[in-house]
Amino acid sequence: MQRTLIKNIDRLIGAYPAPPPLLRGKALQELPELRNAWLLIEDGRVADFGVAAENPPPRADEEIHAGGGSVLPAWVDSHTHLVFAAWREGEFVQRIQGRSYEEIARAGGGILNSAARLREMPEEQLFEQALQRLEEVRSMGTGAIEIKSGYGLSLEGELKMLRVIRHLKEVSEAPVKATFLGAHALPAAYRDRREAYIRLIIDEMLPRIADENLADYVDVFCERVAFSVSEMEEILEAFAKCGLKPKVHVNQFNAMGGVEAAVRHGAVSVDHLEVMSEQDLKILAKANTIATILPSAPFFLNDPYPPAREMVDRGLALALATDYNPGSSPSGRMAFSVSLACIKCGLLPAEALQAATVNGAHALELGAECGALARGMRADLIITKPIPSTGFLPYAFGSNWVDRVLLGA
Ligand code: NIG
Ligand code: FE
């Protein structure tokens, strides 16, 4: 058994006596913090922790001196599209010149642009690029991640993406969850045959995905520029028969009733939520479905931010993720999303940190494994440079305060 001790921790943040449940309301503010602490890891799992003055640190095979830095759980990024073939900085420039994201999408850019590039790229190269991005976000402290398909938009393309995600799962020690997003955009060839594309998803993609066990969740981009609520429901019903639960894109630009439908279909999470109706807030306050905000997308698109302050005050279970993708959030930096949640959405530092860790883990049904530091959980953590307080983390939005990332040490 390998025992590693981290000692001289100024602040041990997010260490719980037992794996925390999904957090809502005031509980989101109650981020545990111990001063002058140590943490013991056994075979990659948290074995024990304590305050040095009360409990002298135990012996271990290896000692890591935190050097007065603090320790917090690694991020759980519960919504990304990090498998893609090319960046889309050309559209970024077009938007600066006045075209909107929706306009570019309608003109065949956007997701369809990504799909065209992905079609040309061999699977191995797609994998190599995605692996680099996965390593990049791990070095910034992401310990578990969800990755979506959705730039394939054909049987072959979607299977190719899902195989790349499976390959990433195999080579990475970090937990990776795969989400099938065949209904991300309507391919141009189906412009006048929407129902035929839905049939392709249900009759041809679904059986292959189920047979080869290629996805953990199913997603639909429910939006005026993408798929309607009833199209989403048709897809969710079909995938439910194969045991795949929904995690869906809703309310990015319009509130169309997608939240209510997703909750009714037992969605694990509803993601984006920039535009929320009173009804949506009421439903989510009572539901088990997690409300996931992705504030780097409205930051990048210059859109309104989700009403996260109100969401927390009304008791929604809020999670926070990056949406890492080439079109609306070319950043997988969780620390920046945490800063935006505070600066632009009115969350307190403790709330944003818990949404990015504990609730992110629950949004991947990994609440017993990661997102917090409790005995038996994965010892995936960030050691910071010395910081004056926890609030400094979202405050110092441009600094790299990460000193070291330990994943399953
Ligand atoms: O979550 N909104 C839909 N999907 C992505 C963007 C995809 C893209 O533009 O490539 C999102 O923002
Ligand atoms: Fe997304």
Side-chain angles (χ1 to χ4, degrees), residues 273-332:
L273 312 180
E274 281 89 327
V275 181
M276 291 291 275
S277 71
E278 174 58 28
Q279 178 72 354
D280 293 333
L281 290 164
K282 275 201 184 123
I283 289 166
L284 284 175
K286 292 204 210 86
N288 292 324
T289 301
I290 295 169
T292 301
I293 61 163
L294 313 163
S296 54
F299 168 78
F300 186 70
L301 298 179
N302 269 316
D303 282 338
Y305 288 90
R309 178 71 266 150
E310 187 177 4
M311 289 157 87
V312 170
D313 290 343
R314 293 184 61 170
L316 279 68
L318 195 87
L320 177 56
T322 64
D323 201 15
Y324 194 7
N325 78 77
S328 66
S329 177
S331 158

Tab-separated table of all heavy atoms in Angstrom, residues 273-332:
chain	number	residue	atom	x	y	z
A	273	LEU	N	-29.182	27.417	-19.374
A	273	LEU	CA	-30.107	28.163	-18.499
A	273	LEU	C	-29.837	29.664	-18.446
A	273	LEU	O	-30.082	30.297	-17.418
A	273	LEU	CB	-30.082	27.567	-17.069
A	273	LEU	CG	-30.201	26.044	-16.969
A	273	LEU	CD1	-30.153	25.622	-15.508
A	273	LEU	CD2	-31.478	25.540	-17.620
A	274	GLU	N	-29.340	30.216	-19.556
A	274	GLU	CA	-29.160	31.675	-19.583
A	274	GLU	C	-30.504	32.388	-19.512
A	274	GLU	O	-30.616	33.470	-18.936
A	274	GLU	CB	-28.431	32.105	-20.870
A	274	GLU	CG	-26.919	31.887	-20.860
A	274	GLU	CD	-26.498	30.522	-21.358
A	274	GLU	OE1	-27.246	29.535	-21.139
A	274	GLU	OE2	-25.426	30.416	-21.980
A	275	VAL	N	-31.534	31.801	-20.144
A	275	VAL	CA	-32.864	32.415	-20.179
A	275	VAL	C	-33.822	31.518	-19.383
A	275	VAL	O	-34.073	30.387	-19.762
A	275	VAL	CB	-33.354	32.514	-21.644
A	275	VAL	CG1	-34.720	33.177	-21.705
A	275	VAL	CG2	-32.346	33.283	-22.488
A	276	MET	N	-34.329	32.039	-18.256
A	276	MET	CA	-35.171	31.211	-17.390
A	276	MET	C	-36.523	31.860	-17.179
A	276	MET	O	-36.598	33.049	-16.834
A	276	MET	CB	-34.495	31.029	-16.030
A	276	MET	CG	-33.255	30.170	-16.077
A	276	MET	SD	-33.642	28.442	-16.413
A	276	MET	CE	-34.000	27.845	-14.767
A	277	SER	N	-37.597	31.060	-17.337
A	277	SER	CA	-38.928	31.579	-17.024
A	277	SER	C	-39.218	31.302	-15.547
A	277	SER	O	-38.547	30.477	-14.915
A	277	SER	CB	-39.979	30.901	-17.901
A	277	SER	OG	-40.125	29.548	-17.486
A	278	GLU	N	-40.236	31.965	-15.029
A	278	GLU	CA	-40.664	31.745	-13.644
A	278	GLU	C	-41.008	30.257	-13.440
A	278	GLU	O	-40.634	29.643	-12.445
A	278	GLU	CB	-41.875	32.655	-13.366
A	278	GLU	CG	-42.554	32.462	-12.035
A	278	GLU	CD	-41.621	32.652	-10.837
A	278	GLU	OE1	-40.644	33.403	-10.949
A	278	GLU	OE2	-41.878	32.001	-9.796
A	279	GLN	N	-41.688	29.713	-14.432
A	279	GLN	CA	-42.090	28.307	-14.381
A	279	GLN	C	-40.862	27.377	-14.294
A	279	GLN	O	-40.835	26.422	-13.529
A	279	GLN	CB	-42.917	28.031	-15.657
A	279	GLN	CG	-43.398	26.624	-15.843
A	279	GLN	CD	-44.520	26.274	-14.875
A	279	GLN	OE1	-44.858	27.060	-13.979
A	279	GLN	NE2	-45.075	25.088	-15.044
A	280	ASP	N	-39.839	27.685	-15.078
A	280	ASP	CA	-38.605	26.875	-15.071
A	280	ASP	C	-37.971	26.875	-13.674
A	280	ASP	O	-37.521	25.839	-13.178
A	280	ASP	CB	-37.575	27.441	-16.062
A	280	ASP	CG	-38.010	27.304	-17.515
A	280	ASP	OD1	-38.788	26.382	-17.818
A	280	ASP	OD2	-37.566	28.132	-18.342
A	281	LEU	N	-37.938	28.055	-13.050
A	281	LEU	CA	-37.330	28.156	-11.714
A	281	LEU	C	-38.134	27.337	-10.705
A	281	LEU	O	-37.573	26.609	-9.888
A	281	LEU	CB	-37.268	29.625	-11.267
A	281	LEU	CG	-36.267	30.511	-12.029
A	281	LEU	CD1	-36.557	31.994	-11.784
A	281	LEU	CD2	-34.830	30.192	-11.629
A	282	LYS	N	-39.453	27.435	-10.809
A	282	LYS	CA	-40.331	26.697	-9.873
A	282	LYS	C	-40.123	25.197	-10.005
A	282	LYS	O	-40.025	24.474	-9.025
A	282	LYS	CB	-41.803	27.012	-10.192
A	282	LYS	CG	-42.303	28.252	-9.531
A	282	LYS	CD	-43.832	28.214	-9.472
A	282	LYS	CE	-44.344	29.504	-8.885
A	282	LYS	NZ	-45.279	30.195	-9.779
A	283	ILE	N	-40.071	24.738	-11.243
A	283	ILE	CA	-39.941	23.294	-11.482
A	283	ILE	C	-38.603	22.784	-10.945
A	283	ILE	O	-38.529	21.761	-10.254
A	283	ILE	CB	-40.078	22.998	-12.993
A	283	ILE	CG1	-41.525	23.219	-13.426
A	283	ILE	CG2	-39.634	21.578	-13.330
A	283	ILE	CD1	-41.712	23.286	-14.917
A	284	LEU	N	-37.538	23.513	-11.243
A	284	LEU	CA	-36.209	23.034	-10.835
A	284	LEU	C	-35.995	23.124	-9.325
A	284	LEU	O	-35.216	22.349	-8.760
A	284	LEU	CB	-35.106	23.794	-11.575
A	284	LEU	CG	-34.924	23.355	-13.028
A	284	LEU	CD1	-33.907	24.244	-13.733
A	284	LEU	CD2	-34.477	21.888	-13.113
A	285	ALA	N	-36.701	24.052	-8.671
A	285	ALA	CA	-36.558	24.162	-7.211
A	285	ALA	C	-37.045	22.878	-6.540
A	285	ALA	O	-36.557	22.504	-5.474
A	285	ALA	CB	-37.342	25.362	-6.696
A	286	LYS	N	-37.978	22.172	-7.177
A	286	LYS	CA	-38.552	20.965	-6.561
A	286	LYS	C	-37.970	19.675	-7.138
A	286	LYS	O	-38.241	18.589	-6.647
A	286	LYS	CB	-40.070	20.952	-6.814
A	286	LYS	CG	-40.809	22.030	-6.076
A	286	LYS	CD	-42.275	21.621	-5.873
A	286	LYS	CE	-43.186	22.836	-5.841
A	286	LYS	NZ	-43.633	23.281	-7.184
A	287	ALA	N	-37.192	19.804	-8.209
A	287	ALA	CA	-36.766	18.591	-8.924
A	287	ALA	C	-35.431	18.058	-8.417
A	287	ALA	O	-34.666	18.769	-7.779
A	287	ALA	CB	-36.638	18.921	-10.409
A	288	ASN	N	-35.142	16.798	-8.735
A	288	ASN	CA	-33.812	16.245	-8.473
A	288	ASN	C	-32.832	16.635	-9.570
A	288	ASN	O	-31.629	16.452	-9.426
A	288	ASN	CB	-33.881	14.712	-8.419
A	288	ASN	CG	-34.658	14.254	-7.204
A	288	ASN	OD1	-34.581	14.879	-6.136
A	288	ASN	ND2	-35.436	13.184	-7.367
A	289	THR	N	-33.359	17.093	-10.684
A	289	THR	CA	-32.516	17.485	-11.820
A	289	THR	C	-31.622	18.661	-11.429
A	289	THR	O	-32.078	19.636	-10.833
A	289	THR	CB	-33.425	17.880	-13.009
A	289	THR	OG1	-34.243	16.750	-13.330
A	289	THR	CG2	-32.614	18.297	-14.223
A	290	ILE	N	-30.354	18.546	-11.792
A	290	ILE	CA	-29.365	19.578	-11.443
A	290	ILE	C	-29.384	20.684	-12.497
A	290	ILE	O	-29.488	20.401	-13.699
A	290	ILE	CB	-27.968	18.931	-11.319
A	290	ILE	CG1	-27.970	17.942	-10.139
A	290	ILE	CG2	-26.871	19.987	-11.159
A	290	ILE	CD1	-26.756	17.055	-10.053
A	291	ALA	N	-29.282	21.928	-12.035
A	291	ALA	CA	-29.246	23.087	-12.935
A	291	ALA	C	-27.773	23.434	-13.157
A	291	ALA	O	-27.097	23.902	-12.248
A	291	ALA	CB	-29.974	24.256	-12.290
A	292	THR	N	-27.272	23.190	-14.360
A	292	THR	CA	-25.846	23.428	-14.631
A	292	THR	C	-25.668	24.709	-15.425
A	292	THR	O	-26.215	24.837	-16.528
A	292	THR	CB	-25.245	22.231	-15.402
A	292	THR	OG1	-25.416	21.056	-14.606
A	292	THR	CG2	-23.757	22.443	-15.672
A	293	ILE	N	-24.904	25.634	-14.879
A	293	ILE	CA	-24.621	26.873	-15.617
A	293	ILE	C	-23.225	26.785	-16.242
A	293	ILE	O	-22.334	26.109	-15.731
A	293	ILE	CB	-24.757	28.132	-14.736
A	293	ILE	CG1	-23.779	28.106	-13.558
A	293	ILE	CG2	-26.188	28.276	-14.239
A	293	ILE	CD1	-23.581	29.468	-12.899
A	294	LEU	N	-23.078	27.473	-17.378
A	294	LEU	CA	-21.845	27.424	-18.177
A	294	LEU	C	-21.456	28.865	-18.506
A	294	LEU	O	-21.531	29.286	-19.659
A	294	LEU	CB	-22.123	26.628	-19.468
A	294	LEU	CG	-22.861	25.294	-19.299
A	294	LEU	CD1	-23.443	24.808	-20.618
A	294	LEU	CD2	-21.922	24.244	-18.720
A	295	PRO	N	-21.061	29.660	-17.502
A	295	PRO	CA	-20.975	31.114	-17.733
A	295	PRO	C	-19.910	31.548	-18.728
A	295	PRO	O	-19.956	32.678	-19.215
A	295	PRO	CB	-20.699	31.688	-16.335
A	295	PRO	CG	-20.203	30.551	-15.521
A	295	PRO	CD	-20.779	29.303	-16.098
A	296	SER	N	-18.959	30.673	-19.076
A	296	SER	CA	-17.979	31.125	-20.073
A	296	SER	C	-18.604	31.174	-21.467
A	296	SER	O	-18.067	31.858	-22.355
A	296	SER	CB	-16.702	30.285	-20.048
A	296	SER	OG	-16.987	28.933	-20.179
A	297	ALA	N	-19.747	30.509	-21.688
A	297	ALA	CA	-20.423	30.614	-23.001
A	297	ALA	C	-21.068	32.002	-23.172
A	297	ALA	O	-20.764	32.688	-24.142
A	297	ALA	CB	-21.428	29.480	-23.193
A	298	PRO	N	-21.918	32.471	-22.250
A	298	PRO	CA	-22.418	33.845	-22.416
A	298	PRO	C	-21.309	34.899	-22.340
A	298	PRO	O	-21.425	35.958	-22.965
A	298	PRO	CB	-23.431	34.021	-21.279
A	298	PRO	CG	-23.208	32.905	-20.337
A	298	PRO	CD	-22.601	31.786	-21.131
A	299	PHE	N	-20.241	34.615	-21.613
A	299	PHE	CA	-19.096	35.548	-21.606
A	299	PHE	C	-18.552	35.684	-23.027
A	299	PHE	O	-18.395	36.781	-23.559
A	299	PHE	CB	-17.998	35.021	-20.665
A	299	PHE	CG	-16.682	35.742	-20.807
A	299	PHE	CD1	-16.497	36.997	-20.237
A	299	PHE	CD2	-15.630	35.175	-21.514
A	299	PHE	CE1	-15.292	37.674	-20.380
A	299	PHE	CE2	-14.421	35.843	-21.666
A	299	PHE	CZ	-14.248	37.096	-21.100
A	300	PHE	N	-18.319	34.534	-23.655
A	300	PHE	CA	-17.685	34.540	-24.977
A	300	PHE	C	-18.630	35.057	-26.053
A	300	PHE	O	-18.198	35.700	-27.013
A	300	PHE	CB	-17.211	33.113	-25.300
A	300	PHE	CG	-16.419	33.014	-26.554
A	300	PHE	CD1	-15.136	33.553	-26.625
A	300	PHE	CD2	-16.931	32.390	-27.683
A	300	PHE	CE1	-14.389	33.470	-27.798
A	300	PHE	CE2	-16.192	32.299	-28.850
A	300	PHE	CZ	-14.912	32.840	-28.911
A	301	LEU	N	-19.938	34.770	-25.900
A	301	LEU	CA	-20.924	35.181	-26.920
A	301	LEU	C	-21.545	36.546	-26.601
A	301	LEU	O	-22.414	37.005	-27.350
A	301	LEU	CB	-22.033	34.130	-27.049
A	301	LEU	CG	-21.610	32.724	-27.504
A	301	LEU	CD1	-22.818	31.798	-27.554
A	301	LEU	CD2	-20.899	32.745	-28.839
A	302	ASN	N	-21.139	37.163	-25.519
A	302	ASN	CA	-21.745	38.438	-25.109
A	302	ASN	C	-23.252	38.328	-24.921
A	302	ASN	O	-24.015	39.178	-25.389
A	302	ASN	CB	-21.463	39.530	-26.146
A	302	ASN	CG	-20.203	40.276	-25.807
A	302	ASN	OD1	-19.980	40.624	-24.647
A	302	ASN	ND2	-19.372	40.513	-26.801
A	303	ASP	N	-23.673	37.269	-24.259
A	303	ASP	CA	-25.100	37.039	-23.992
A	303	ASP	C	-25.387	37.309	-22.512
A	303	ASP	O	-24.462	37.392	-21.711
A	303	ASP	CB	-25.448	35.572	-24.303
A	303	ASP	CG	-25.610	35.322	-25.792
A	303	ASP	OD1	-25.871	36.289	-26.526
A	303	ASP	OD2	-25.452	34.161	-26.206
A	304	PRO	N	-26.669	37.382	-22.153
A	304	PRO	CA	-26.993	37.538	-20.728
A	304	PRO	C	-26.548	36.291	-19.941
A	304	PRO	O	-26.582	35.175	-20.470
A	304	PRO	CB	-28.519	37.651	-20.704
A	304	PRO	CG	-28.951	37.833	-22.112
A	304	PRO	CD	-27.858	37.352	-23.011
A	305	TYR	N	-26.167	36.495	-18.712
A	305	TYR	CA	-25.743	35.375	-17.852
A	305	TYR	C	-26.951	34.703	-17.205
A	305	TYR	O	-27.997	35.336	-17.035
A	305	TYR	CB	-24.802	35.895	-16.757
A	305	TYR	CG	-23.450	36.276	-17.308
A	305	TYR	CD1	-23.203	37.561	-17.760
A	305	TYR	CD2	-22.435	35.327	-17.423
A	305	TYR	CE1	-21.964	37.919	-18.292
A	305	TYR	CE2	-21.204	35.670	-17.963
A	305	TYR	CZ	-20.975	36.963	-18.393
A	305	TYR	OH	-19.766	37.295	-18.933
A	306	PRO	N	-26.817	33.446	-16.824
A	306	PRO	CA	-27.922	32.785	-16.105
A	306	PRO	C	-28.165	33.478	-14.756
A	306	PRO	O	-27.211	33.967	-14.143
A	306	PRO	CB	-27.407	31.352	-15.897
A	306	PRO	CG	-25.936	31.422	-16.069
A	306	PRO	CD	-25.658	32.562	-16.999
A	307	PRO	N	-29.411	33.500	-14.302
A	307	PRO	CA	-29.713	34.164	-13.011
A	307	PRO	C	-29.326	33.266	-11.837
A	307	PRO	O	-30.175	32.829	-11.054
A	307	PRO	CB	-31.233	34.375	-13.088
A	307	PRO	CG	-31.718	33.256	-13.960
A	307	PRO	CD	-30.620	32.955	-14.954
A	308	ALA	N	-28.030	33.024	-11.712
A	308	ALA	CA	-27.573	32.000	-10.758
A	308	ALA	C	-27.841	32.387	-9.304
A	308	ALA	O	-28.117	31.526	-8.467
A	308	ALA	CB	-26.094	31.717	-10.972
A	309	ARG	N	-27.754	33.678	-8.988
A	309	ARG	CA	-28.023	34.100	-7.605
A	309	ARG	C	-29.446	33.700	-7.206
A	309	ARG	O	-29.685	33.087	-6.173
A	309	ARG	CB	-27.826	35.632	-7.496
A	309	ARG	CG	-28.104	36.289	-6.178
A	309	ARG	CD	-27.049	35.955	-5.115
A	309	ARG	NE	-27.437	34.830	-4.310
A	309	ARG	CZ	-26.596	33.977	-3.740
A	309	ARG	NH1	-25.310	34.094	-3.852
A	309	ARG	NH2	-27.039	32.970	-3.028
A	310	GLU	N	-30.371	34.048	-8.100
A	310	GLU	CA	-31.767	33.713	-7.824
A	310	GLU	C	-31.955	32.190	-7.791
A	310	GLU	O	-32.714	31.662	-6.975
A	310	GLU	CB	-32.671	34.342	-8.897
A	310	GLU	CG	-34.132	34.160	-8.559
A	310	GLU	CD	-35.096	34.811	-9.539
A	310	GLU	OE1	-34.647	35.375	-10.562
A	310	GLU	OE2	-36.310	34.736	-9.263
A	311	MET	N	-31.250	31.502	-8.660
A	311	MET	CA	-31.385	30.042	-8.692
A	311	MET	C	-30.979	29.432	-7.354
A	311	MET	O	-31.664	28.557	-6.812
A	311	MET	CB	-30.543	29.471	-9.851
A	311	MET	CG	-31.135	29.793	-11.226
A	311	MET	SD	-29.927	29.762	-12.584
A	311	MET	CE	-29.954	28.085	-13.047
A	312	VAL	N	-29.868	29.884	-6.803
A	312	VAL	CA	-29.421	29.349	-5.512
A	312	VAL	C	-30.395	29.769	-4.409
A	312	VAL	O	-30.813	28.944	-3.582
A	312	VAL	CB	-27.981	29.820	-5.182
A	312	VAL	CG1	-27.608	29.471	-3.748
A	312	VAL	CG2	-26.992	29.202	-6.158
A	313	ASP	N	-30.807	31.045	-4.410
A	313	ASP	CA	-31.722	31.523	-3.366
A	313	ASP	C	-33.049	30.768	-3.391
A	313	ASP	O	-33.691	30.606	-2.365
A	313	ASP	CB	-31.980	33.026	-3.526
A	313	ASP	CG	-30.744	33.852	-3.187
A	313	ASP	OD1	-29.824	33.313	-2.528
A	313	ASP	OD2	-30.678	35.028	-3.596
A	314	ARG	N	-33.443	30.313	-4.561
A	314	ARG	CA	-34.725	29.599	-4.651
A	314	ARG	C	-34.561	28.096	-4.488
A	314	ARG	O	-35.496	27.332	-4.709
A	314	ARG	CB	-35.406	29.965	-5.957
A	314	ARG	CG	-35.800	31.450	-5.904
A	314	ARG	CD	-36.562	31.900	-7.077
A	314	ARG	NE	-37.817	31.189	-7.252
A	314	ARG	CZ	-38.747	31.559	-8.116
A	314	ARG	NH1	-38.568	32.652	-8.832
A	314	ARG	NH2	-39.850	30.858	-8.247
A	315	GLY	N	-33.357	27.661	-4.142
A	315	GLY	CA	-33.180	26.262	-3.754
A	315	GLY	C	-32.843	25.315	-4.888
A	315	GLY	O	-32.940	24.090	-4.729
A	316	LEU	N	-32.423	25.819	-6.056
A	316	LEU	CA	-32.037	24.910	-7.131
A	316	LEU	C	-30.672	24.301	-6.810
A	316	LEU	O	-29.823	24.948	-6.196
A	316	LEU	CB	-31.939	25.661	-8.477
A	316	LEU	CG	-33.243	25.912	-9.222
A	316	LEU	CD1	-34.135	26.898	-8.493
A	316	LEU	CD2	-32.955	26.420	-10.626
A	317	ALA	N	-30.471	23.072	-7.239
A	317	ALA	CA	-29.163	22.419	-7.071
A	317	ALA	C	-28.296	22.841	-8.244
A	317	ALA	O	-28.453	22.342	-9.359
A	317	ALA	CB	-29.342	20.909	-7.044
A	318	LEU	N	-27.386	23.768	-7.985
A	318	LEU	CA	-26.627	24.384	-9.067
A	318	LEU	C	-25.260	23.728	-9.239
A	318	LEU	O	-24.534	23.538	-8.269
A	318	LEU	CB	-26.431	25.868	-8.730
A	318	LEU	CG	-25.988	26.731	-9.889
A	318	LEU	CD1	-27.205	27.228	-10.653
A	318	LEU	CD2	-25.201	27.939	-9.378
A	319	ALA	N	-24.923	23.416	-10.496
A	319	ALA	CA	-23.558	22.955	-10.806
A	319	ALA	C	-22.965	23.915	-11.827
A	319	ALA	O	-23.677	24.683	-12.483
A	319	ALA	CB	-23.579	21.531	-11.348
A	320	LEU	N	-21.644	23.856	-11.950
A	320	LEU	CA	-20.916	24.822	-12.769
A	320	LEU	C	-19.909	24.059	-13.629
A	320	LEU	O	-19.152	23.246	-13.118
A	320	LEU	CB	-20.206	25.769	-11.786
A	320	LEU	CG	-19.297	26.868	-12.257
A	320	LEU	CD1	-20.008	27.786	-13.229
A	320	LEU	CD2	-18.849	27.687	-11.035
A	321	ALA	N	-19.940	24.332	-14.944
A	321	ALA	CA	-19.020	23.620	-15.851
A	321	ALA	C	-18.535	24.583	-16.925
A	321	ALA	O	-18.980	25.738	-16.987
A	321	ALA	CB	-19.738	22.410	-16.461
A	322	THR	N	-17.607	24.111	-17.803
A	322	THR	CA	-17.000	25.043	-18.773
A	322	THR	C	-17.669	25.088	-20.135
A	322	THR	O	-17.521	26.064	-20.853
A	322	THR	CB	-15.524	24.693	-19.051
A	322	THR	OG1	-15.477	23.405	-19.681
A	322	THR	CG2	-14.690	24.741	-17.800
A	323	ASP	N	-18.292	23.960	-20.577
A	323	ASP	CA	-18.825	23.893	-21.947
A	323	ASP	C	-17.696	23.917	-22.993
A	323	ASP	O	-17.946	24.258	-24.156
A	323	ASP	CB	-19.802	25.051	-22.214
A	323	ASP	CG	-20.752	24.768	-23.375
A	323	ASP	OD1	-20.857	23.606	-23.774
A	323	ASP	OD2	-21.377	25.725	-23.874
A	324	TYR	N	-16.486	23.605	-22.600
A	324	TYR	CA	-15.323	23.656	-23.506
A	324	TYR	C	-15.690	23.174	-24.915
A	324	TYR	O	-16.030	22.013	-25.106
A	324	TYR	CB	-14.218	22.786	-22.901
A	324	TYR	CG	-12.835	22.966	-23.489
A	324	TYR	CD1	-12.544	23.960	-24.413
A	324	TYR	CD2	-11.795	22.132	-23.075
A	324	TYR	CE1	-11.263	24.112	-24.920
A	324	TYR	CE2	-10.510	22.273	-23.579
A	324	TYR	CZ	-10.251	23.265	-24.513
A	324	TYR	OH	-8.982	23.404	-25.018
A	325	ASN	N	-15.674	24.074	-25.886
A	325	ASN	CA	-15.991	23.739	-27.279
A	325	ASN	C	-15.479	24.865	-28.178
A	325	ASN	O	-15.227	25.972	-27.697
A	325	ASN	CB	-17.513	23.520	-27.449
A	325	ASN	CG	-18.281	24.825	-27.503
A	325	ASN	OD1	-18.299	25.522	-28.520
A	325	ASN	ND2	-18.920	25.204	-26.405
A	326	PRO	N	-15.339	24.611	-29.490
A	326	PRO	CA	-14.707	25.623	-30.344
A	326	PRO	C	-15.620	26.790	-30.709
A	326	PRO	O	-15.130	27.810	-31.203
A	326	PRO	CB	-14.342	24.834	-31.609
A	326	PRO	CG	-15.323	23.720	-31.645
A	326	PRO	CD	-15.598	23.352	-30.214
A	327	GLY	N	-16.943	26.663	-30.475
A	327	GLY	CA	-17.859	27.698	-30.938
A	327	GLY	C	-18.271	28.704	-29.886
A	327	GLY	O	-18.285	29.910	-30.141
A	328	SER	N	-18.626	28.224	-28.687
A	328	SER	CA	-19.186	29.143	-27.701
A	328	SER	C	-18.364	29.248	-26.426
A	328	SER	O	-18.642	30.116	-25.599
A	328	SER	CB	-20.622	28.739	-27.347
A	328	SER	OG	-20.610	27.496	-26.684
A	329	SER	N	-17.353	28.390	-26.269
A	329	SER	CA	-16.515	28.478	-25.067
A	329	SER	C	-15.161	27.807	-25.316
A	329	SER	O	-14.949	26.672	-24.878
A	329	SER	CB	-17.220	27.815	-23.872
A	329	SER	OG	-16.376	27.848	-22.745
A	330	PRO	N	-14.278	28.498	-26.018
A	330	PRO	CA	-12.981	27.858	-26.310
A	330	PRO	C	-12.047	27.883	-25.103
A	330	PRO	O	-10.877	28.222	-25.229
A	330	PRO	CB	-12.448	28.698	-27.479
A	330	PRO	CG	-13.096	30.014	-27.335
A	330	PRO	CD	-14.428	29.794	-26.673
A	331	SER	N	-12.581	27.524	-23.955
A	331	SER	CA	-11.798	27.493	-22.721
A	331	SER	C	-12.304	26.377	-21.826
A	331	SER	O	-13.505	26.281	-21.569
A	331	SER	CB	-11.946	28.825	-21.977
A	331	SER	OG	-11.646	28.652	-20.602
A	332	GLY	N	-11.399	25.555	-21.373
A	332	GLY	CA	-11.747	24.481	-20.431
A	332	GLY	C	-11.232	24.810	-19.044
A	332	GLY	O	-11.002	23.917	-18.236
